[in-house]
Amino acid sequence: MSEKKLKRKTSFTGSTEFTNIKLEEPMRYAAGKLGVKEALKHGFKEMGIVRSMRALLEMNQEDGFDCPSCAWPNPENPSTVAEYCENGAKALADEATTNKIARQFFTKYSVEELSQFTDYQLNKFGRLTEPLVLRPESIHYEPISWQEAYGLISEELRSLNDPNEAIFYTSGRSSNEAAYLYGMFVRAFGTNNMPDCSNMCHESSGVALSETLGIGKGSTKLEDLYAAEVVLVVGQNPGTNHPRMLSALEKCKQNGGKVISINPLEEAGLVNFKNPQNLKGLVGSGEDMADIHLAVKINQDIPLVKLILKRLAELDARDKNVFDHDFIAQYVNGYDELLADLVQYDEQDLLERCGVPEEKINETVALLAAKEDIVVCWAMGLTQHENGVQNIREFVNLLLLKGAMGKPNAGTCPVRGHSNVQGDRSVGIMHYVDEKLNQRIEKHLGFVPPAEEGVDTVGAIKAMYEGRGKVFICLGGNFLMAANDTEYTAQALQNCSLTVQISTKLNRTHLVTGKTALILPTYGRSEKDMKDGKLRYFTMEDSMGRVRQSRGLLKPASDHIKSEPELIGELAHVFFDGKHSVNWKAMAEDYNLIRQSIDKVAKGFDNTTERSKGVGYYLPNNVRNLDFSMLPGGKAQLTLNDLPEHNLERDEFLLMTIRSHDQFNTTIYGLDDRYRGVYNERRVLFMNSNDMKSHGFKKMDVVDISSHYDNKKRTAYKFLVIPYSIPKGNLAAYFPETNVLVPYNRYAHRSKTPISKSVKVTVVKSE
Ligand SMILES: Nc1nc2c(c(=O)[nH]1)N[C@H]1C(S)=C(S)[C@@H](COP(=O)(O)OP(=O)(O)OC[C@H]3O[C@@H](n4cnc5c(=O)[nH]c(N)nc54)[C@H](O)[C@@H]3O)O[C@H]1N2
Ligand SMILES: Nc1nc2c(c(=O)[nH]1)N[C@H]1C(S)=C(S)[C@@H](COP(=O)(O)OP(=O)(O)OC[C@H]3O[C@@H](n4cnc5c(=O)[nH]c(N)nc54)[C@H](O)[C@@H]3O)O[C@H]1N2
Ligand SMILES: [Mo]
């Protein structure tokens, strides 16, 4: 029998049945932090009353655990009441669910059968409770001991011709300790093949900020948002994805600050906001969070900013006080070139491209001209385009011209996704080579790390597809559904000899696998990690660069699962047969040893065990000290960025793939998108009602969406058309259902972030 015929018949999309949609008007407001009572409602169903009460009271508190949802920082003094949001409560309930997958489950269902379930249904089965193996000829997972699993992986790794035939992915939920141990094991094994979720997320921010400001992270602290004069929220939906950020914006407004939202959609929470924890929010109609909403067309942020800069430059030419000339003279490179470049653009053309009404531009220009303390926040609406890096550089231009950098209440704020995605990078999860890091590894860990750049997510998919990547190990995440071009990625995974998932819950990447597959179940953030009667804890780095401790408190889902550092350390110990310059086993047991090692090897970490206590400590950040010595001329860089061109044909739209209110990335908590007024259905396509008319679509028409890159038709079948307030020519639909449309070889220049927010598509009625 040929290799191909042996392949399991697993579905990489799951069912496309509709689930009984209900529509309402989109909501005008969103809540930030959540009252205890409401949050408990989410917990009770999944976790039971006692577990919910205990866990929610400890979430984001000083001696508690870090919320497993987003990376928004906790305030220095968390309020005595709840410091969490609705979606944090959902994330916790999802992780700490009392639903468990028992041994008989995999006897009952084959992987082929399981793959017919939707992602929502797969997640609902609950927590994984013991290590499992899917053997080459089998279609059923079966139990395997930890030792046997380590042995199997080690043998497979040793059998490779070249360490670069193995690829090690990381999702951003892992602690600093787990990620560090993993990253160092991968290097000791001999490769830099470390793609991570960041490649699909904020990589464009990292690239843009590094080259303009000398550090790939943001410069603001939470308090800076409170007192800023203007906060721009660009390409970001905080009401759903970072709800606690709304509390910070509310504080800003109470202090007299203004909020500008730049988004094709009027996202709830930016338009109007209710804080359930203050009386006004509960009884009144809430606050309008955004003072100005700029409904930019998808991927037309650069024309918008250029237009604003042009107008500001005109005012500055007259008054000489709109830009910060002292700051520019001392700290900034490229001023004359930027001004000369702006002159060539036609204002009317820019206006038409961005699609924003002129009076809104005027309002924005007047506000920005008069203010100095400006913060720009952004997320996926800027990073996930072909020109993602340039998008961000253009906003950096604005901040630098205004001197809004390296001082209180001003600066950059890329709002990170996964709760420890920033920390994972800081402790060494990256596919590129950092020579200084390599020198420290050699000095302190006693081995020579590889000097050759590894693959990122795009490179990993291609390598596996082409047979160059043979073993694929994932520390968390759901690679198949998170990555683009689902069909291609599925084939890539199936070409592997071994795929390994270290995870908490079942997902589709466990079902579309290599010849042999392993599931290694691990603790969630909220679980108590005990060793010899002592509680162990982790550290995380939040979106603003602060390192803090996190300790779980709930009884783990099973006695047969292991913490991430423990299983990584044990695997490394087995792989090296106990003979290596690093004592992996000791670190697997005692996380203080890992932290001591991080202090020596990772940049900026220092006395972490002590300093991460309580409110924690900030990692060094050169922008906060206005130190640009690492950049050309020792200065921050203004940059020239091109206008994006999409050249849409009459039947083409630009589609953004976004999150609903009831999901965390590929984990689907529920089928509602309450703020957008959609209930019990995810297969929806948001369309401008004029486009519906001109293209002959009616509300609830069933359509297929196709992209046509490289003469290949990729289709996402069966979506319901919903009229929505979205710019003409633009569409929105949820990820991961629409990932099939995003070609694997279309990504942002230089950061290689897939173009999840500007996919050119056509739409036709389903047959
Ligand atoms: N509850 C919950 N929380 C999460 C997540 C989750 O799935 N659920 N995911 C986490 C992760 S990993 C991440 S990265 C973040 C993601 O957080 P977001 O970036 O807020 O997530 P998206 O849903 O991708 O929303 C993108 C936003 O950008 C807008 N947008 C799209 N294209 C453009 C454009 O061209 N220009 C502008 N100006 N705006 C545009 C969209 O309308 C939308 O409001 O959230 C994190 N937090
Ligand atoms: N089309 C499109 N695609 C996108 C995006 C988009 O906007 N549009 N967004 C992109 C972005 S921003 C990101 S960050 C990626 C996300 O990509 P990933 O990080 O790969 O995906 P997640 O859905 O967050 O991963 C969920 C899985 O992680 C596991 N898990 C949860 N908690 C833990 C834990 O504590 N430890 C371990 N070991 N495992 C755990 C569970 O098994 C769960 O099924 O997706 C990207 N893909
Ligand atoms: Mo992300």
Side-chain angles (χ1 to χ4, degrees):
M1 208 190 288
S2 78
E3 284 276 309
K4 247 202 154 71
K5 287 217 179 97
L6 271 179
K7 239 165 236 150
R8 303 169 187 103
K9 293 186 213 60
T10 47
S11 157
F12 51 79
T13 49
S15 161
T16 52
E17 292 302 305
F18 291 124
T19 41
N20 202 7
I21 193 169
K22 222 180 77 199
L23 292 178
E24 282 177 16
E25 278 298 298
M27 281 174 74
R28 296 285 298 167
Y29 62 83
K33 287 195 287 180
L34 197 67
V36 181
K37 235 169 75 190
E38 282 163 90
L40 283 175
K41 275 198 288 195
H42 293 285
F44 284 175
K45 267 194 278 170
E46 292 279 340
M47 300 157 63
I49 296 175
V50 177
R51 270 164 81 82
S52 307
M53 299 276 290
R54 286 188 56 210
L56 280 169
L57 289 173
E58 292 293 325
M59 191 146 91
N60 293 338
Q61 300 294 323
E62 252 175 40
D63 292 323
F65 62 96
D66 204 36
C67 175
S69 197
C70 74
W72 189 254
N74 306 327
E76 295 254 326
N77 307 303
S79 47
T80 45
V81 281
E83 182 52 46
Y84 49 77
C85 67
E86 175 187 347
N87 278 340
K90 281 188 207 159
L92 171 66
D94 190 73
E95 167 180 305
T97 177
T98 45
N99 293 337
K100 289 177 194 174
I101 297 184
R103 187 167 279 194
Q104 311 82 286
F105 178 84
F106 290 102
T107 322
K108 182 172 171 198
Y109 294 115
S110 69
V111 285
E112 295 178 351
E113 287 164 325
L114 283 172
S115 73
Q116 300 303 322
F117 288 108
T118 61
D119 296 315
Y120 170 63
Q121 291 164 323
L122 289 177
N123 179 56
K124 279 281 171 228
F125 286 122
R127 289 289 296 277
L128 294 155
T129 53
E130 62 180 337
L132 297 158
V133 63
L134 182 65
R135 300 205 187 264
E137 309 291 326
S138 178
I139 52 167
H140 285 269
Y141 271 103
E142 58 193 86
I144 183 173
S145 74
W146 282 99
Q147 286 310 313
E148 205 194 325
Y150 299 146
L152 196 158
I153 300 171
S154 299
E155 227 170 88
E156 199 72 36
L157 288 176
R158 286 189 206 115
S159 75
L160 297 173
N161 294 323
D162 182 324
N164 290 322
E165 288 178 351
I167 299 170
F168 299 81
Y169 174 72
T170 311
S171 166
R173 276 232 183 144
S174 295
S175 60
N176 292 337
E177 288 76 0
Y180 176 76
L181 216 54
Y182 185 67
M184 295 308 137
F185 168 60
V186 174
R187 290 178 175 88
F189 165 69
T191 182
N192 282 313
N193 281 345
M194 278 182 277
D196 72 332
C197 68
S198 196
N199 300 149
M200 301 182 260
C201 185
H202 264 296
E203 195 72 61
S204 305
S205 309
V207 171
L209 293 174
S210 297
E211 66 185 22
T212 53
L213 300 171
I215 183 172
K217 305 179 184 182
S219 71
T220 49
K221 297 181 178 176
L222 193 49
E223 308 82 86
D224 295 326
L225 265 93
Y226 299 161
E229 290 176 300
V230 183
V231 178
L232 283 83
V233 182
V234 191
Q236 199 206 334
N237 178 18
T240 283
N241 297 315
H242 306 92
R244 286 182 302 119
M245 178 177 167
L246 297 183
S247 310
L249 293 177
E250 191 189 31
K251 278 208 178 112
C252 169
K253 297 203 52 153
Q254 282 163 354
N255 292 332
K258 301 280 180 201
V259 174
I260 302 176
S261 111
I262 303 184
N263 199 311
L265 305 181
E266 279 190 10
E267 302 284 30
L270 290 174
V271 185
N272 203 325
F273 169 66
K274 275 190 182 182
N275 187 343
Q277 292 185 349
N278 83 29
L279 210 53
K280 193 164 152 215
L282 278 179
V283 297
S285 61
E287 303 247 341
D288 254 344
M289 196 64 95
D291 298 271
I292 305 176
H293 174 70
L294 306 177
V296 68
K297 287 189 178 176
I298 292 178
N299 198 217
Q300 296 305 319
D301 298 83
I302 289 184
L304 171 65
V305 180
K306 279 203 195 298
L307 181 54
I308 293 170
L309 292 184
K310 234 175 125 70
R311 298 267 171 96
L312 287 174
E314 282 156 18
L315 291 177
D316 187 69
R318 198 185 64 200
D319 302 340
K320 304 277 180 268
N321 63 359
V322 171
F323 295 152
D324 185 338
H325 293 281
D326 292 343
F327 179 88
I328 294 169
Q330 198 175 346
Y331 298 110
V332 181
N333 244 353
Y335 178 71
D336 294 337
E337 293 86 338
L338 180 71
L339 280 222
D341 184 64
L342 279 176
V343 174
Q344 63 166 312
Y345 294 100
D346 175 61
E347 293 200 3
Q348 198 53 37
D349 178 53
L350 295 174
L351 194 63
E352 277 161 27
R353 283 172 187 257
C354 71
V356 175
E358 186 157 21
E359 66 273 14
K360 296 272 182 185
I361 305 270
N362 295 340
E363 245 183 276
T364 307
V365 169
L367 181 64
L368 291 174
K371 306 291 181 186
E372 295 165 4
D373 295 343
I374 302 167
V375 173
V376 179
C377 305
W378 71 90
M380 298 304 98
L382 286 190
T383 63
Q384 296 176 328
H385 302 275
E386 216 157 276
N387 64 345
V389 173
Q390 294 207 349
N391 275 340
I392 292 146
R393 297 197 319 186
E394 195 67 20
F395 280 94
V396 170
N397 282 348
L398 169 66
L399 289 171
L400 286 175
L401 289 172
K402 293 293 298 177
M405 201 73 80
K407 64 176 185 181
N409 318 325
T412 52
C413 181
V415 184
R416 301 279 165 184
H418 266 301
S419 47
N420 198 42
V421 61
Q422 190 160 313
D424 289 357
R425 223 0 114 74
S426 299
V427 299
I429 300 296
M430 74 264 286
H431 57 281
Y432 51 85
V433 179
D434 175 339
E435 273 170 25
K436 287 199 180 129
L437 176 70
N438 275 7
Q439 286 161 10
R440 292 192 295 270
I441 291 174
E442 192 170 343
K443 180 167 171 205
H444 297 291
L445 300 184
F447 67 88
V448 183
E452 185 192 341
E453 181 160 319
V455 291
D456 56 11
T457 53
V458 172
I461 298 169
K462 202 154 180 277
M464 291 188 279
Y465 189 89
E466 291 170 359
R468 289 177 283 114
K470 294 182 175 148
V471 174
F472 187 49
I473 301 183
C474 296
L475 180 58
N478 180 5
F479 192 80
L480 173 65
M481 300 317 281
N484 40 335
D485 221 340
T486 317
E487 197 173 337
Y488 187 89
T489 303
Q491 186 61 55
L493 291 169
Q494 287 171 334
N495 287 350
C496 290
S497 58
L498 173 70
T499 49
V500 181
Q501 304 301 317
I502 301 168
S503 39
T504 50
K505 301 196 73 179
L506 191 62
N507 64 49
R508 201 165 297 281
T509 311
H510 301 91
L511 309 177
V512 179
T513 67
K515 217 186 218 170
T516 303
L518 281 166
I519 298 177
L520 305 181
T522 189
Y523 290 168
R525 184 85 48 83
S526 56
E527 284 165 329
K528 211 170 185 169
D529 183 358
M530 299 293 289
K531 185 77 184 172
D532 301 330
K534 269 195 169 148
L535 177 66
R536 296 188 287 195
Y537 64 87
F538 298 107
T539 58
M540 316 280 167
E541 177 186 344
D542 66 32
S543 197
M544 292 173 178
R546 190 168 48 167
V547 180
R548 295 176 69 160
Q549 299 181 358
S550 170
R551 29 173 79 68
L553 80 159
L554 297 175
K555 189 171 178 302
S558 148
D559 294 336
H560 307 292
I561 62 178
K562 286 182 186 278
S563 80
E564 291 178 342
E566 194 161 287
L567 72 86
I568 295 159
E570 288 176 356
L571 169 63
H573 178 76
V574 170
F575 178 80
F576 289 112
D577 202 13
K579 301 181 196 91
H580 192 259
S581 58
V582 177
N583 189 343
W584 304 100
K585 198 154 193 255
M587 293 217 260
E589 285 169 14
D590 183 354
Y591 305 163
N592 280 333
L593 296 178
I594 308 182
R595 284 186 280 273
Q596 285 160 16
S597 188
I598 292 178
D599 287 343
K600 290 191 204 126
V601 172
K603 191 177 164 196
F605 287 79
D606 176 30
N607 198 7
T608 300
T609 294
E610 275 308 306
R611 293 174 73 206
S612 59
K613 284 181 183 159
V615 297
Y617 75 104
Y618 281 100
L619 293 175
N621 186 310
N622 60 290
V623 179
R624 289 177 188 151
N625 313 321
L626 288 172
D627 170 13
F628 301 113
S629 54
M630 66 298 287
L631 293 171
K635 290 184 170 183
Q637 311 287 313
L638 290 168
T639 53
L640 306 185
N641 303 302
D642 307 323
L643 299 182
E645 298 289 354
H646 291 282
N647 305 318
L648 296 178
E649 302 288 336
R650 203 203 153 268
D651 63 338
E652 284 179 328
F653 295 87
L654 219 47
L655 167 77
M656 53 179 173
T657 60
I658 56 176
R659 291 152 172 83
S660 81
H661 191 61
D662 263 3
Q663 72 184 85
F664 192 94
N665 299 339
T666 70
T667 300
I668 313 301
Y669 302 139
L671 302 173
D672 300 343
D673 194 0
R674 194 170 85 244
Y675 292 159
R676 299 195 184 104
V678 180
Y679 292 83
N680 207 32
E681 184 56 77
R682 290 182 53 82
R683 306 191 72 84
V684 294
L685 180 64
F686 297 102
M687 193 184 275
N688 181 297
S689 47
N690 290 319
D691 283 338
M692 286 175 61
K693 250 183 245 147
S694 60
H695 288 73
F697 296 118
K698 289 195 295 298
K699 184 173 170 178
M700 302 290 243
D701 269 354
V702 181
V703 296
D704 297 339
I705 316 167
S706 299
S707 66
H708 308 266
Y709 293 89
D710 306 319
N711 295 321
K712 184 172 168 120
K713 187 170 173 186
R714 295 167 170 88
T715 303
Y717 294 97
K718 287 177 71 184
F719 285 73
L720 297 166
V721 175
I722 309 286
Y724 204 77
S725 170
I726 182 171
K728 273 212 292 202
N730 290 176
L731 299 171
Y734 303 131
F735 115 83
E737 286 81 349
T738 45
N739 284 32
V740 285
L741 300 167
V742 191
Y744 79 92
N745 58 356
R746 289 294 197 285
Y747 38 73
H749 300 301
R750 312 218 348 267
S751 68
K752 291 176 87 185
T753 301
I755 53 157
S756 305
K757 296 288 188 276
S758 47
V759 193
K760 222 191 246 194
V761 296
T762 56
V763 181
V764 294
K765 283 190 196 151
S766 299
E767 306 243 302

